[in-house]
Amino acid sequence: MRLAGSKKAMADFADLGGSEDDIVSLLPEEPEDMWHANNLIGPGDIIRAHAIRKVNRTTNTGSTSSERVHTDLTIRVTSTFFDPAASALHVSGTVVKENGYVAIGQYHTLDLELNRAFTLLKPSGWDSVAKETLQEALRPEAGDDLAAVVMQEGLANICVITEFRTILKQRVEHSIPKKRSGASDMDSATKAFFDKTLNTLLRAVEFDPAHPRTLLLASPGFVATEFRKYMLDLGQRTSDKKLLAIGKGAMVVHTSSGHVHALNEVLKSPEVQAKMKDKKFYGETRLMDDFYTRLRKDDGRAWYGLQPVTRAVNEGAIGPGGGTLLINNSLFRNMDVATRRKYVDLVDRVKEAGGEARVLSSDHESGQRLDALGGIAAILSYPSYDLDEEPEEEGGGEEGGENGAAEGTMVV
Amino acid sequence: MSRHQAFRNVQSTVSEHLYGDEDYYSDEAEEELSAEDKAAMEQGTADVRAALGVEASKVTTEQIQEALWHYYYDVDKSVTYLLTKFIAPPPPKAAKSAQKPHSGASAYSTTKSFLSALFKDMPWGNIPQERVTVFVEPQRPRGGLLGGSGAAPKLTKLQQLALARKKKVEQQSSEEQAEDTREKLGELSMKEAPSLKENRLSEGGGFSKRQKLSDTTAAGRLLQREPAATDAEKRPTAIQRRSHLRDSSGQALSSLDGAEERAPEAGSPSTPFQPLPRSAADEPSHGAEMAGPSDFAQTLFGSPAVEPEPPANKLFALPYMAYCPSLADAFSKPSPDDVVLAAQAKAGKKTATAAATKKKGGGADSVANDVKALKIDDAPLPKSKNFNVLHEFEKSKSKKTASFVVVGHVDAGKSTMMGRLLLDLKVVDQRTVDKLRKEAEKIGKSSFALAWVLDQRTEERARGVTIDIATNRFETESTVFTILDAPGHRDFIPNMIAGASQADFAILVIDASTGAFESGLKGQTREHSLLIRSMGVSRVIVAVNKLDTVDWSKERFDEITHQVTGFLTATGFQPKNISFVPVSGLHGDNLVNRSTNPAASWYQGPTIVEELESSEPTTRALNKPLRMTISEVFRTPQSSITVAGRIDAGSLQMGDALLVQPSGEKAYIKSVQLDEEPVDWAVAGQNVVLHLSNIDPIHVRAGDIICDPAQPIQCLDSFTLKALAFDFLMPMQVDVHRGRLHSAGTIESIPALLDKVTGAVTKKKPKIVKPAAVARLVIKLASKVPLEAGQRVVLRSGGETVAAGLLE
């Protein structure tokens, strides 16, 4: 994403309120930028972008004609829709500036396009989170993306892990007969499954020889190893240099299952860590792991849910000395201004208190884990045991250990 | 039948003769008669005169001789010709006339009398005259090839083809009867079933007795399988069956067959062309006011003397009958199925097989074939025998069935031990094992030979580790056991869960060799025990394996016994349900046979098999609606969709409709296999193989549930679970396992912590659930899966089992 300083657009916005500083013109250059745009654009914002609109005209004689016109439209956003697989962003709203084709108040859905600038005005001003998002969006692309195939027997999830999100490109399912039908049936079915997975992988993910992309193959058991072997064998047999290169560069990682959420384990593995240390999502994954560990230990420093976290912030418990606020960016997206302000307020206050506030991408596995916890969690600077509503029965981490060994009857 | 056939044959030879002689007609008609001809002519003339009797005076000798010449000395034909040509009015006897009915009216007059006799006992024989409609064969070209005379015209090939088709149609119309026959045949094999020791079908699951009996190899195999006594017992049953068939089929036939049997007797055999039967019944339909004679009277006194013209306005031509001279003909004989049934009924008293009986008469054979062909066409759905399965199950004195899962840490020797067990029980022969050993030696793993009996996958053999559940079976004197050999490696615990969910009890294999036991106890020994307990297995036999490596040390055995008892009781097994056996899986000590090693003489307790036999399988939910988890889907020659699994609840039988969830597609059971042998039904607790039909393979996957369409299982994507935590639980992502089913999900919320004993809520909305605590969890799944209350679910996360519980 680049800033596209267009004076003309700025001038257009002059009469819509808001200062000149609140107006920004952006040029999305990559699919990833659409995701950033989705994080930036919220309800209530005013956006001006290129639009194609179907216009119906009625002539004096009463005959109608319809034509598609290219025009620039300015709308007040009511909702956005982001298609993660296609990286397409659709912004709906009402027209606030009329022109020859549309009147004020008419609805329009803008399809933001790559390499066409749009101008964004936040009438309520840019808050800290929005500014940070903008900065993130404007940062030059840091390194390449990862492709990952998380698989188990008969199931493969083909994902692309970018700086900010994990995109599930395709899910491959193939029924592999079990033992009873004999070994040959199984081998041929496994081969067919590998074939299907490889074809889908090559179609879904672009492997450009100029920018080698790391491929992660993750599975329980030997599926990933076998798959890599299959790629290499096939590459050798067909003397497909490209396939050979991909196969050779592929990293096999062990996971406990073939579901997408096993990616967490992938990112934890030392092989991957060595490669990904500088990535944003790596830090996020580590933070989440840290949080879970603390939660397990029940040391009183890990809390999740809006209510306890808000209380912690009020008490100033998320401060210097390891205090971290974890918040999903999905909480800032598509929400009314008041709610958004509440969350932004939390972030600002943590920062004021000297704590760290991390906005996690809800499109990453770590963000998904945080989502399960309600989208917001915190590691406190000091233990606090009474942040939830019913503080009477808290702690008691000792009871668990004894019960495990003593009870003869299991209540399951 | 044979009479008809013979008649037809005669007719056709006659006509062939006639046409064959055409050349003779044209070329040699003028020549003088030869001596033989003269003699034949004189003989023929005398015969004709004798045949004509009194009427003989009405014809001249020249006329007779002319006729004989034309009919090539065929007396009957000549008589017929003479009667119709010269003796008028035709006497009742002249019904014999083979004259082709050229018009409806003439057909009417010539055939009515014998027809009235034929149908005299039909219910429509007494219909008031004014009500009945007369169907008259419409005017039509004579058809057939030209030439010849009063005999039936020779059919062209096209007509013959049409005739053949018509017959086929007719056969299909009598399908109902065919169905009836088949049902009876089906009953036969059903009757046979109880006489066998199980409800096994004798061969191929087919119910055709004919097939069965004629197939001598099948019979041979039968004999092999059953003891001689059973065979002897079977024979009287077969006879009983046949008599039963005779009775019932005789009854079934009494009306139709009786009538048709009588037809040729009452009518003359020379009536190839009958108008529609109805017209015969309507025969005396002249004048509404005139009461016709009763059928009986008609038979006694012949037709009324006066033959008034039938009222023209009562004649209706049947348009669709217009072109088929064969149609009426087709019905003049008993249908092929009647023939079969009649033949069976006749054969009833003899001991000859039904198959042999059917081969009587040239036509019957082809008819039987036709019936066979019909059966294939009209059986798109497998036919249910509508057993009361539970009743049958109680009746059958079958052995107990039980299944057990073999669990334990990786490389504890589970597969090897089971391989040895199967070898010692002679389920696998030594040759197979030797062959495997040779193969194993090739890749330098000769000690894996026994395990390879169960580890059949290429990958499993190459890596020397069990990956998926292997199923095998063996029989002892009292019980049929199904072995579920589970993988020990932690990566394949989902497969192990699938196996444990099908088991009644478990064998926990523990590696006694130094160091291995300790690492196992930390590893899968522990997790597997937790899992089998969570899956509802309460009886566990601990096989302390590889004791030969520690010289059958009793101290080692006691030490292990002590430790394992400790943690098994902690897991929730009751001490009385745990037993320990020192074994050597590789050498087979104390598996089937007691150890011969003097060092092991200190152990005098039961062997593994004895322990297994003394274990009582849990009670089955026989009366609940059908539930079966598909553990495997594969292809077989019988069906492209063959599924295997254990029936969790209820019962099923051949021909049943099923619902496969979550796809919600219906399927039918083509056949059922239990322990590699076809059966008619199966009940809960049995591991069965079902051949399905009428369903696309994409709708059937391992982990799906087969259920009763009337009481289907619900597909849920969110459910509440009362779970025992093995690890810390918080809202997080988990893998949800239920039998073979493996789905991704998240713990969405934790509504309450529960008291372990009373189940009362001790804390609402806990932040986290600690190990060994019981909590109510709300789980959200990525997709809808079939689940219902009372099912046991295991939650795993990051390769660890974190919780197990019951669905609420």
Side-chain angles (χ1 to χ4, degrees), chain A residues 208-283:
Chain A
D208 187 356
H211 305 281
R213 198 197 273 265
T214 313
L215 175 65
L216 293 177
L217 302 175
S219 83
F222 317 109
V223 185
T225 323
E226 292 288 315
F227 182 58
R228 180 160 180 262
K229 194 164 152 271
Y230 173 80
M231 280 170 75
L232 290 175
D233 285 353
L234 189 71
Q236 210 113 53
R237 210 173 57 236
T238 56
S239 47
D240 185 343
K241 285 218 179 91
K242 192 182 155 198
L243 188 59
L244 269 176
I246 298 170
K248 275 186 186 136
M251 260 198 277
V252 174
V253 192
H254 178 269
T255 58
S256 64
S257 84
H259 297 295
V260 190
H261 61 70
L263 267 180
N264 281 320
E265 294 171 45
V266 177
L267 301 181
K268 257 186 266 179
S269 70
E271 304 98 298
V272 181
Q273 276 186 10
K275 275 211 154 185
M276 315 292 152
K277 245 188 259 149
D278 50 341
K279 301 263 180 195
K280 179 178 190 266
F281 63 73
Y282 173 63

Side-chain angles (χ1 to χ4, degrees), chain B residues 212-252:
Chain B
K212 215 191 307 171
L213 290 175
S214 60
D215 190 2
T216 48
T217 52
R221 236 180 287 173
L222 240 167
L223 282 170
Q224 270 178 4
R225 199 174 297 150
E226 260 74 50
T230 331
D231 189 54
E233 189 186 344
K234 203 188 78 200
R235 235 169 253 168
T237 331
I239 294 163
Q240 258 178 18
R241 268 193 276 125
R242 213 166 292 123
S243 64
H244 166 76
L245 171 82
R246 185 192 349 118
D247 291 344
S248 53
S249 63
Q251 276 166 18

Side-chain angles (χ1 to χ4, degrees), chain B residues 43-57:
Chain B
Q43 178 64 38
T45 315
D47 286 350
V48 169
R49 280 200 184 282
L52 287 174
V54 232
E55 312 284 2
S57 58

Side-chain angles (χ1 to χ4, degrees), chain B residues 383-496:
Chain B
K383 213 162 150 44
S384 174
K385 290 176 187 170
N386 290 322
F387 281 118
N388 183 346
V389 173
L390 297 183
H391 186 67
E392 294 281 329
F393 177 61
E394 278 161 28
K395 255 194 339 197
S396 70
K397 301 271 186 298
S398 58
K399 288 185 182 178
K400 284 191 294 186
T401 55
S403 52
F404 63 90
V405 63
V406 189
V407 298
H409 194 60
V410 64
D411 288 337
K414 295 176 292 298
S415 301
T416 303
M417 191 174 121
M418 284 306 114
R420 168 58 79 174
L421 189 82
L422 291 173
L423 177 67
D424 287 354
L425 286 162
K426 309 220 162 27
V427 178
V428 247
D429 50 8
Q430 186 64 46
R431 260 187 54 204
T432 318
V433 175
D434 288 345
K435 210 178 95 200
L436 288 176
R437 180 161 289 132
K438 226 172 267 171
E439 282 173 39
E441 266 162 16
K442 258 183 229 160
I443 58 165
K445 291 180 175 173
S446 61
S447 67
F448 282 91
L450 284 167
W452 282 14
V453 172
L454 291 149
D455 293 351
Q456 290 161 351
R457 280 167 58 162
T458 333
E459 234 185 354
E460 289 179 329
R461 291 187 174 179
R463 296 181 188 273
V465 59
T466 310
I467 291 176
D468 203 352
I469 287 281
T471 338
N472 217 314
R473 62 177 281 278
F474 66 87
E475 257 177 70
T476 63
E477 272 146 39
S478 64
T479 319
V480 182
F481 286 104
T482 306
I483 302 175
L484 299 152
D485 181 35
H489 195 283
R490 62 191 295 252
D491 276 359
F492 308 119
I493 282 192
N495 293 337
M496 179 264 160

Side-chain angles (χ1 to χ4, degrees), chain B residues 39 160 349 357 462 496 568 576 607 626 731:
Chain B
Q160 274 166 347
K349 274 172 192 141
T357 317
M496 179 264 160
L568 281 184
K576 69 174 163 77
T607 61
L626 172 69

